[in-house]
Amino acid sequence: MWGFLLQRTVSAVFALFFVATVTFFLLHAIPGGPFDNDKKLPPEILHNLEAKYHLNDPLWKQYTDYLRGLALWDLGPSLKQEALSVNDIIRQGFPVSATLGALAVSIALVAGVTSGVVAALCHNRWQDYLVSVLTALGFAVPNFIMAGLLVYIFAYQLRWFPPALWGTPAQAVLPALALAAGPAAVIARFMRSSLLEVLQQDYIRTAKAKGLSQAMVVYRHALRNAFIPVLSYLGPMLATVFTGSFVVERIFAIPGLGQYYVTGIVNRDYTLTLGVTVFYSVLLITMNLLADLGYVALDPRIRLVDRTR
Amino acid sequence: MGSTTYWQDVWRRLKQNRPAMSGLVIIILLVILAVIGPYLTTYSYSTQDLTATDQGPGVRFWFGSDDLGRDIFTRTWYGARISLTIGVVTSLTSAVIGVIYGGISGIIGGKPDELMMRLVEILWSVPFLLYVIVLIVIMEPGLTAIVIALGTWYWVPMARIVRGQVLALKEQDFVLAARCLGAGPGRILFRHLLPNAMGPIIIQMTLVIPEAIFAEAFLSFLGLGVSAPMASWGVLASEGIKALKSFPWQLFFPAFFITVTILAFNILGDGLRDALDPRMR
Amino acid sequence: MFLLRRKTVNFLALSMTLLALAGCAGKPAGQDKPGQPGTKPAKDQVICFNLGSEPESLDPAVVEGKPEGTLLNAVFDGLVRYGKDNKLQPALAYRWDISPDGKRYTFYLRNAQWTNGEPVTAGDFEYAWKRVLDPKTGSSYAYQLFCLKNGEAYNAGKLKDPSQVGVKALDDQTLEVTLEAPTPHFLGLTAFMTYYPVNKKVVEANPKKWYMDTASFVTNGPFKLVKWEHNQKLELVKNPTYWEAQQVKLDKLVMTTVDSNDTALTMFETGQADFVYDPPKTQLARLRQEDKLSISPDVNTYFYLLNVTKKPFNDVRVRKALALAIDRESLVQKVTRGGEKPARAFVPEGLPDVDSAKDFRNAGGPLMDTYNAGEARKLLADAGYPGGMGFPEVAILFNTNDNHQKLAQAIQEMWKQNLGINVKLSNQEWKVLLKSQQSLDYDISRASWSADYLDAMTFMDMFVTNGGNNYTGWGNKEYDALIAKAKVTANSRERIKAMHDAEKILISEMPVIPLYFSTYSYLQSPRLKDVVVSPFAYYAEFRWAWVSED
């Protein structure tokens, strides 16, 4: 187990190095720089600005300087938010995005697993069809439309919830629902399908034959194995949701991290984009690791490290 | 010869599944409408009438008109061509790449699996917008560009899911039995593992369809996809949401047909899964 | 889908009367609607204004955006300021002398305090201005101080000694400014944020982050910042130590940083914000019907650039045909919908003519038809493309934005109907587009220009041959000569005439197709009174604002 974790950590460090490298060079390869605007700056001012952020150093030097900082998790200053470092920005934004994300994931898991199980147990009955229709709605309607509809109905027409900003529980309701709808539908679909599959398997039949009740069988045996595809989906999904959705955070004016994945690139804020990208990558790798460990926890027969050969 | 009867069997079981067949019929209807729909009116998708902007549904404009006075009915069915194509093609390409990649990663396991999964994580860490801007700079905008952009992106979740399934299935008794009988990893993967992983694979394929439809809208907006005035369902819906408070029909029609499409693919997918399942007879 | 709004400030500055900009649609700015109650102040003098984005900085030396300008205008006071009538009036300087050669200004400062109780001195101004020019500060608006003697040389690093820069505190209350050359609009410049004073002690104690903490963000204006929740809101309260505190009626001013204009509109319509600007285009018709919309003029022209180095745009007949085949009246009525005015020349309204009470645009009159399809067809046929036959495949390039896209689609259709030509549409992300324009890698491209200062020259010197912002490839010796003349001539009659003549050349040569003169649209709660809206560096001025009883 410890060997496995060590191996994962080493490979994760290499992966992060590659992510930073690829992103760094792609960012510098696309046209435009952080200080370009429709009105050209006088050359001496542009020079002063570039000097302030060491952007007039040769590219390889900027790259090695960046890597040196990254090694100590110093992600550099933001080129646009004048007084903030990228570390500051992540420190401010991530807790908000993560809170909202955790809320949304909880809603999605509860709603998704419940409706998936109901649909599977009532296979080809009306409950199943109802879940089909709801889940189709859930993932056919993307989050920006879902957010728009929620705002229109619950904030604009009914005035039950505030339309924007962050801080009170009431303000979290609509964005959490907008974020949860899609994942809930996806989880329900996976849950239904794999539960149907598991229920056909021999050990479940055996369990049933032994006289265990339907609920007991589902709870004890079927759910665990049915959860594996959900877990595969959850890994990357958690990383994405915890770092915030640009669309939802923008619509609800939430001070999270999501906006920077777009504005950083649009502004050519190199350090900010790199920083949030590497941060996302750390989260993605961690979540996938947890998902892998989750496979083993759900089904002890699964082996991540091949010990047979 | 054995596989022929298997597929005949699948088709027979699918035909008996009423919801699945109605899903299929809806998809066929949508395709027919996408082909003939634009010719049912006197307008083209680009014909503007600036004196008749934002009209509600009625005799002149069946689905209403948009903010440049264009017929939404015509634009909806024109958009169906783009969106249905993008959705299905992306779904298929991402499935092919993802199943092969994830399957190999899962069946081999160990260090190669580790390497392949880290590669996938590196790819998915690059911000999508950055990836798109790079593509815009190096590619001619158009349908091909979109398919390449989306096909090379959406196989990643498929790969993760297939790998997870393979990891779980390969330790089960029937696989161990096959291995004892001397089956190689390729045969085990395609004969034994993938047929048993069809459920999640089909679901992931249907999931990609709406994602691709809206990702296309985003890419078109950024300048990689089909250019205005041509518009897909995704573009129509994205524009419609902004007019929600004033002209709700501009959102309703494209969003309605996207949802119907997804619903049809879902129930067809469910039926297909049942029909493909080797144990469900 | 999404659009990032970040407007840089229009440095409109001239020590003269702003012109009455007549004839714009919507209700006039800052006036109460007749027949409504509301002359009695409400008990709660608290309002919420949506700033539209998180400030990138609050340091007057480095800020460049209009949101930042709006906030700083509420918390700082400069030497002079614009009054309710948009005329310059004394602020911290209660009077000033100008030397006969127009190169030396002496400002006499009144007794005023910083929020930490220390007096505002002439030394604070000297320190602040030199700090802007210091190359290490990296201020993108440093060029606004290049009119100071040795300002540019110091900023460029050619001059190391800051004591040679033309600003000096003679004593605590007297500031002497020496200019490089007579600059008639200098006094107006001193009203703007880059010229605000900063408290030397506070800034030097923490040069990078002094404004991040409300305790060390020491200011001298009508309001002071008491709370900054990042990416949420900034709370300002009335500053009791302000020298003119009795004029300030609002107790509290909340500025939210909501970026999406759709969300801001919902906040306004559900009573959570009292003032929001730039509502979504799709809602304008409804808002106008519900009498919520206010529109005020903006000194800005929206136009299309033509790449004249490329066929067929090297032919002036083609350029004119394209320009005349656009129905501008329909464009502004049906597509942009914000009360814009069809452009029949390049320089917009709002800039002074010889007689500063007159408008440059009105004096110059229209230089082209708003729409003339017949003439356009004829010109195109003369150029060798009768009925659009044989017209090469070209594209309209615009930056990724719904509004630009809508306009381009409308124009595409007009050209198709009127000229029989099919142009394609293509869009690029903003910074990619800038590169395409600069390298003349386009056919037709969308652009707009807003005034940097209150003179027609800010629009006219753009198109001199090889000018830094001339992305058309067009050049004309006669035009260059007229602009050069206007730049050195002291006689304002000759100067303005040269610019009128130059504009006639520009329009007859048509390297750019003017489309419309833009507007600034906003929503203001009827209970909010005496907010001053100006086309300057800020969206709204709240110094005199108050809330009436409903």
Side-chain angles (χ1 to χ4, degrees):
Chain A
M1 184 64 191
W2 293 110
F4 167 73
L5 282 179
L6 184 71
Q7 181 190 332
R8 277 302 273 262
T9 314
V10 172
S11 75
V13 169
F14 277 100
L16 288 178
F17 165 76
F18 279 109
V19 167
T21 305
V22 170
T23 312
F24 182 90
F25 287 104
L26 284 183
L27 268 175
H28 283 272
I30 59 176
F35 309 116
D36 282 347
N37 220 323
D38 54 350
K39 299 194 174 178
K40 260 196 213 158
L41 287 174
E44 60 264 47
I45 290 181
L46 189 62
H47 176 267
N48 290 340
L49 277 166
E50 289 185 338
K52 185 174 171 183
Y53 296 107
H54 306 288
L55 290 174
N56 46 6
D57 287 345
L59 199 60
W60 64 265
K61 185 165 185 309
Q62 293 183 45
Y63 172 65
T64 47
D65 284 350
Y66 186 78
L67 285 187
R68 200 167 304 133
L70 184 62
L72 303 167
W73 200 248
D74 171 7
L75 303 172
S78 160
L79 307 183
K80 284 284 168 188
Q81 294 286 320
E82 207 244 348
L84 291 180
S85 69
V86 177
N87 294 58
D88 290 336
I89 289 176
I90 293 176
R91 212 174 299 133
Q92 280 175 12
F94 178 63
V96 176
S97 292
T99 309
L100 183 59
L103 201 59
V105 170
S106 317
I107 299 175
L109 274 174
V110 171
V113 171
T114 315
S115 46
V117 170
V118 167
L121 296 180
C122 309
H123 189 204
N124 285 339
R125 275 183 277 157
W126 68 266
Q127 294 94 329
D128 189 16
Y129 299 137
L130 179 69
V131 171
S132 264
V133 173
L134 287 179
T135 52
L137 263 172
F139 63 81
V141 178
N143 55 14
F144 71 94
I145 290 184
M146 187 61 80
L149 290 172
L150 288 171
V151 168
Y152 180 71
I153 297 168
F154 296 107
Y156 183 73
Q157 293 291 357
L158 299 174
R159 312 229 170 159
W160 289 357
F161 296 102
L165 299 176
W166 180 253
T168 66
Q171 284 169 331
V173 174
L174 296 183
L177 286 178
L179 272 178
V186 175
I187 292 171
R189 302 279 310 150
F190 277 124
M191 218 45 225
R192 172 188 176 277
S193 146
S194 48
L195 195 56
L196 280 178
E197 208 137 314
V198 172
L199 287 173
Q200 298 298 320
Q201 298 221 354
D202 299 338
Y203 65 92
I204 301 291
R205 293 183 177 176
T206 318
K208 272 190 191 165
K210 283 201 308 202
L212 279 171
S213 75
Q214 170 90 343
M216 214 48 190
V217 171
V218 170
Y219 179 73
R220 274 266 178 86
H221 301 277
L223 268 184
R224 312 183 94 194
N225 279 58
F227 205 70
I228 283 176
V230 177
L231 207 54
S232 306
Y233 165 78
L234 271 181
M237 190 274 263
L238 285 174
T240 309
V241 169
F242 283 178
T243 48
S245 145
F246 169 74
V247 173
V248 171
E249 290 188 356
R250 192 178 135 78
I251 291 175
F252 292 101
I254 288 161
L257 209 51
Q259 55 170 318
Y260 301 112
Y261 290 88
V262 174
T263 55
I265 296 167
V266 171
N267 292 328
R268 304 290 189 272
D269 190 336
Y270 299 136
T271 40
L272 179 57
T273 306
L274 274 163
V276 293
T277 301
V278 171
F279 182 71
Y280 170 76
S281 196
V282 171
L283 226 62
L284 181 69
I285 291 171
T286 315
M287 292 302 166
N288 280 344
L289 171 64
L290 290 180
D292 280 0
L293 295 176
Y295 293 151
V296 182
L298 288 175
D299 184 349
R301 286 175 300 179
I302 294 180
R303 277 170 299 163
L304 296 162
V305 201
D306 246 324
R307 285 157 304 185
T308 45
R309 276 148 236 178
Chain B
M1 285 313 276
S3 66
T4 322
T5 46
Y6 172 69
W7 288 111
Q8 281 171 346
D9 232 24
V10 167
W11 176 236
R12 185 181 51 78
R13 272 176 296 183
L14 192 64
K15 269 195 297 192
Q16 286 166 354
N17 188 331
R18 265 219 213 122
M21 288 319 284
S22 56
L24 190 63
V25 169
I26 293 173
I27 292 167
I28 292 169
L29 274 177
L30 286 169
V31 171
I32 292 173
L33 274 166
V35 174
I36 64 162
Y39 305 109
L40 296 179
T41 64
T42 53
Y43 306 101
S44 88
Y45 65 88
S46 64
T47 314
Q48 295 177 9
D49 181 353
L50 290 180
T51 61
T53 56
D54 301 317
Q55 304 282 306
V59 179
R60 183 170 168 201
F61 301 113
W62 298 339
F63 287 180
S65 72
D66 71 2
D67 56 354
L68 290 174
R70 295 176 296 199
D71 180 41
I72 294 179
F73 181 87
T74 313
R75 287 172 69 73
T76 301
W77 296 116
Y78 219 94
R81 297 179 181 183
I82 303 166
S83 290
L84 290 174
T85 312
I86 292 284
V88 172
V89 173
T90 308
S91 175
L92 291 174
T93 45
S94 65
V96 170
I97 306 176
V99 164
I100 292 174
Y101 191 96
I104 292 174
S105 182
I107 191 102
I108 299 178
K111 288 239 166 64
D113 172 48
E114 174 98 21
L115 187 73
M116 287 174 87
M117 285 298 113
R118 284 305 83 71
L119 206 65
V120 153
E121 280 158 2
I122 292 169
L123 190 72
W124 251 41
S125 293
V126 175
F128 189 58
L129 180 62
L130 180 59
Y131 175 70
V132 172
I133 292 177
V134 172
L135 285 179
I136 290 176
V137 173
I138 59 176
M139 277 167 60
E140 273 290 305
L143 269 185
T144 329
I146 295 259
V147 168
I148 291 175
L150 297 180
T152 52
W153 192 261
Y154 280 112
W155 64 270
V156 172
M158 177 66 91
R160 287 262 337 153
I161 282 164
V162 172
R163 169 190 174 259
Q165 290 306 107
V166 169
L167 282 181
L169 290 169
K170 76 174 178 179
E171 304 299 338
Q172 295 204 359
D173 302 339
F174 69 98
V175 180
L176 294 177
R179 195 177 285 163
C180 289
L181 291 173
R187 190 181 162 78
I188 290 178
L189 180 62
F190 288 101
R191 265 294 157 87
H192 301 279
L193 296 178
L194 290 183
N196 282 291
M198 272 331 266
I201 292 174
I202 288 175
I203 289 176
Q204 180 59 31
M205 283 179 73
T206 55
L207 283 183
V208 165
I209 295 174
E211 285 202 36
I213 287 177
F214 283 100
E216 180 277 326
F218 180 62
L219 296 186
S220 292
F221 177 74
L222 289 174
L224 186 66
V226 291
S227 64
M230 213 183 275
S232 62
W233 279 350
V235 171
L236 293 175
S238 315
E239 291 188 351
I241 187 75
K242 279 177 290 207
L244 181 61
K245 283 183 206 160
S246 302
F247 320 110
W249 61 89
Q250 294 178 357
L251 171 66
F252 175 78
F253 290 103
F256 174 76
F257 287 110
I258 292 173
T259 310
V260 167
T261 306
I262 304 314
L263 183 61
F265 273 110
N266 270 356
I267 53 181
L268 176 64
D270 287 348
L272 201 59
R273 193 205 67 84
D274 290 352
L276 286 171
D277 191 335
R279 288 177 303 266
M280 276 197 149
R281 312 232 159 169
Chain C
M1 211 168 293
F2 61 85
L3 124 116
L4 301 163
R5 289 179 301 160
R6 176 146 284 279
K7 267 196 161 176
T8 45
V9 166
N10 314 336
F11 253 94
L12 290 181
L14 215 72
S15 56
M16 54 170 62
T17 315
L18 239 189
L19 303 153
L21 298 151
C24 261
K27 57 181 191 228
Q31 277 183 24
D32 306 336
K33 277 189 257 176
Q36 276 192 329
T39 42
K40 241 177 93 193
K43 226 178 103 223
D44 260 1
Q45 291 292 322
V46 180
I47 64 152
C48 175
F49 163 76
N50 184 36
L51 204 53
S53 79
E54 166 83 355
E56 288 175 349
S57 168
L58 294 181
D59 187 338
V62 301
V63 293
E64 49 182 340
K66 233 171 157 171
E68 290 84 353
T70 309
L71 191 120
L72 290 190
N73 179 61
V75 297
F76 277 102
D77 222 12
L79 291 173
V80 300
R81 68 168 178 232
Y82 284 93
K84 286 184 205 178
D85 51 1
N86 277 328
K87 284 183 189 164
L88 277 181
Q89 53 176 234
L92 280 185
Y94 61 91
R95 85 184 169 87
W96 49 87
D97 297 330
I98 306 174
S99 68
D101 65 356
K103 281 162 68 167
R104 204 172 65 241
Y105 286 65
T106 314
F107 293 93
Y108 301 95
L109 272 55
R110 70 179 81 240
N111 288 319
Q113 277 182 16
W114 291 105
T115 43
N116 64 359
E118 291 172 7
V120 181
T121 66
D124 291 327
F125 278 94
E126 182 186 339
Y127 171 73
W129 294 8
K130 284 180 177 169
R131 184 167 165 266
V132 171
L133 287 169
D134 187 339
K136 281 202 289 295
T137 307
S139 163
S140 46
Y141 266 157
Y143 65 87
Q144 297 294 345
L145 275 77
F146 282 2
C147 55
L148 299 188
K149 189 160 191 287
N150 288 326
E152 186 166 6
Y154 178 50
N155 184 249
K158 289 180 198 133
L159 175 87
K160 299 287 178 204
D161 177 13
S163 70
Q164 303 210 18
V165 175
V167 54
K168 196 166 183 323
L170 298 180
D171 57 47
D172 275 359
Q173 311 261 274
T174 319
L175 184 72
E176 188 186 70
V177 181
T178 320
L179 302 181
E180 210 47 79
T183 313
H185 60 263
F186 174 71
L187 205 56
L189 281 178
T190 65
F192 289 95
M193 55 195 186
T194 320
Y195 280 84
Y196 287 152
V198 292
N199 185 305
K200 185 175 173 181
K201 259 192 258 167
V202 171
V203 175
E204 281 187 336
N206 189 0
K208 282 229 159 97
K209 298 199 165 191
W210 64 281
Y211 60 82
M212 291 300 287
D213 181 358
T214 49
S216 61
F217 185 48
V218 168
T219 57
N220 67 340
F223 299 96
K224 66 173 181 180
L225 183 68
V226 290
K227 201 166 164 195
W228 185 3
E229 287 177 42
H230 292 280
N231 288 302
Q232 283 288 284
K233 61 185 176 196
L234 300 102
E235 285 183 16
L236 284 64
V237 297
K238 184 175 170 171
N239 175 11
T241 65
Y242 181 51
W243 66 271
E244 215 180 6
Q246 77 283 357
Q247 292 268 338
V248 181
K249 301 185 187 85
L250 288 180
D251 291 324
K252 192 169 170 188
L253 173 57
V254 179
M255 293 191 177
T256 51
T257 62
V258 176
D259 188 41
S260 151
N261 56 356
D262 213 9
T263 306
L265 174 62
T266 309
M267 285 172 65
F268 180 83
E269 293 197 286
T270 54
Q272 309 214 344
D274 302 292
F275 192 111
V276 301
Y277 60 84
D278 194 18
K281 295 269 179 219
T282 45
Q283 309 291 335
L284 289 181
R286 177 178 66 86
L287 293 169
R288 189 171 314 203
Q289 223 164 30
E290 295 171 4
D291 200 21
K292 287 176 179 162
L293 188 68
S294 302
I295 287 174
S296 92
D298 195 4
V299 188
N300 179 294
T301 304
Y302 190 105
F303 57 98
Y304 276 179
L305 298 166
L306 297 172
N307 181 353
V308 306
T309 64
K310 248 180 144 174
K311 254 189 110 151
F313 308 111
N314 54 358
D315 187 333
V316 65
R317 290 169 298 190
V318 171
R319 305 201 291 262
K320 286 188 142 173
L322 292 175
L324 289 173
I326 296 169
D327 178 358
R328 289 173 182 71
E329 200 64 56
S330 290
L331 278 191
V332 299
Q333 295 285 337
K334 299 295 182 182
V335 185
T336 63
R337 304 183 188 183
E340 295 84 355
K341 283 192 156 183
R344 300 179 65 182
F346 186 66
V347 178
E349 293 176 358
L351 299 166
D353 204 64
V354 184
D355 170 2
S356 64
K358 278 203 185 132
D359 187 281
F360 181 90
R361 175 74 284 119
N362 294 337
L367 302 180
M368 59 183 284
D369 291 337
T370 39
Y371 177 42
N372 189 338
E375 176 73 10
R377 268 190 291 275
K378 201 172 138 292
L379 281 164
L380 195 71
D382 290 350
Y385 309 105
M389 292 241 297
F391 198 81
E393 186 172 276
V394 297
I396 303 176
L397 180 67
F398 50 93
N399 53 308
T400 301
N401 170 303
D402 292 322
N403 299 333
H404 301 328
Q405 195 212 44
K406 279 279 136 62
L407 197 77
Q409 291 186 64
I411 288 174
Q412 176 190 42
E413 184 73 4
M414 287 173 185
W415 284 344
K416 189 172 166 187
Q417 299 299 330
N418 293 331
L419 300 176
I421 59 173
N422 285 303
V423 300
K424 295 206 303 183
L425 302 187
S426 125
N427 62 312
Q428 290 177 340
E429 191 249 355
W430 176 228
K431 301 221 171 188
V432 180
L433 176 103
L434 288 175
K435 281 285 176 250
S436 300
Q437 288 186 350
Q438 286 162 13
S439 50
L440 285 174
D441 183 15
Y442 73 94
D443 305 315
I444 303 164
S445 178
R446 165 273 144 186
S448 68
W449 193 257
S450 52
D452 280 331
Y453 44 89
L454 248 186
D455 189 278
M457 184 55 84
T458 184
F459 281 85
M460 294 308 297
D461 70 355
M462 203 176 153
F463 293 105
V464 295
T465 311
N466 296 325
N469 287 305
N470 178 359
Y471 302 142
T472 61
W474 179 79
N476 179 298
K477 289 216 173 71
E478 211 184 328
Y479 182 90
D480 295 350
L482 285 166
I483 297 300
K485 184 179 162 202
K487 281 199 165 171
V488 294
T489 308
N491 179 324
S492 76
R493 185 168 305 277
E494 278 178 36
R495 203 174 73 85
I496 298 285
K497 183 176 180 307
M499 287 198 287
H500 278 304
D501 290 346
E503 193 184 19
K504 278 179 201 143
I505 295 174
L506 185 73
I507 296 301
S508 70
E509 283 275 302
M510 205 69 84
V512 291
I513 302 177
L515 293 173
Y516 62 80
F517 302 139
S518 313
T519 51
Y520 166 61
S521 51
Y522 60 95
L523 307 168
Q524 181 179 341
S525 154
R527 67 187 192 111
L528 179 54
K529 311 288 182 189
D530 288 334
V531 177
V532 178
V533 172
S534 82
F536 288 133
Y538 45 81
Y539 290 114
E541 160 76 90
F542 296 98
R543 190 181 296 263
W544 304 284
W546 57 283
V547 183
S548 74
E549 257 178 1
D550 292 312

